[in-house]
Amino acid sequence: MIEQVTPRDLPAWLARARTEGEAPLLLDCREPAEWHAASVRADGAELLQMPMHSIPPRLHELDKDRPVAVLCHHGGRSMQVAMFLAQRGFARVANIAGGIDAWSLQVDPTVPRY
């Protein structure tokens, strides 16, 4: 089962992931136009923007042992990506429930909602 993490709880998830080894990855699987409309940073995580459709051919660029939290607009695409990664042996994957929209509501209201 894929772990669900709200934007509000993401800092604690990232802190736990850091204590287990490598720095976590925040994988934003939205499209480039969406990144331009609204973007976020998470302290303690590297941000990688990789559209959902590009992940299968670029899978080799991702470390299976690195904790990955996946972000999209509302949480649907990120859940699909998280399941895809987990099925391919990624050790620690979480879906950011509610996506960047929930991030704006729960964490940072300056992040535009679209």
Side-chain angles (χ1 to χ4, degrees):
M1 179 172 256
I2 302 299
E3 187 175 0
Q4 301 295 309
V5 179
T6 65
R8 183 180 297 119
D9 295 332
L10 183 62
W13 187 90
L14 294 171
R16 282 191 308 277
R18 281 191 306 276
T19 64
E20 295 172 6
E22 284 194 67
L25 178 66
L26 176 59
L27 179 60
D28 187 338
C29 67
R30 297 174 302 139
E31 294 296 316
E34 293 176 283
W35 304 332
H36 295 296
S39 195
V40 297
R41 297 251 183 236
D43 290 336
E46 175 190 351
L47 174 65
L48 177 60
Q49 295 171 318
M50 188 181 291
M52 181 180 184
H53 72 275
S54 73
I55 293 171
R58 295 179 62 188
L59 191 60
H60 66 279
E61 297 177 32
L62 303 174
D63 181 353
K64 289 183 178 186
D65 296 321
R66 188 175 189 187
V68 180
V70 190
L71 174 74
C72 71
H73 188 201
H74 288 289
R77 284 175 287 177
S78 56
M79 184 61 182
Q80 290 177 26
V81 169
M83 289 189 308
F84 175 82
L85 295 176
Q87 290 168 351
R88 278 145 188 87
F90 281 72
R92 181 127 191 242
V93 181
N95 179 50
I96 300 177
I100 197 166
D101 190 66
W103 193 297
S104 179
L105 294 170
Q106 295 176 14
V107 177
D108 184 358
T110 66
V111 173
R113 295 181 69 204
Y114 61 95

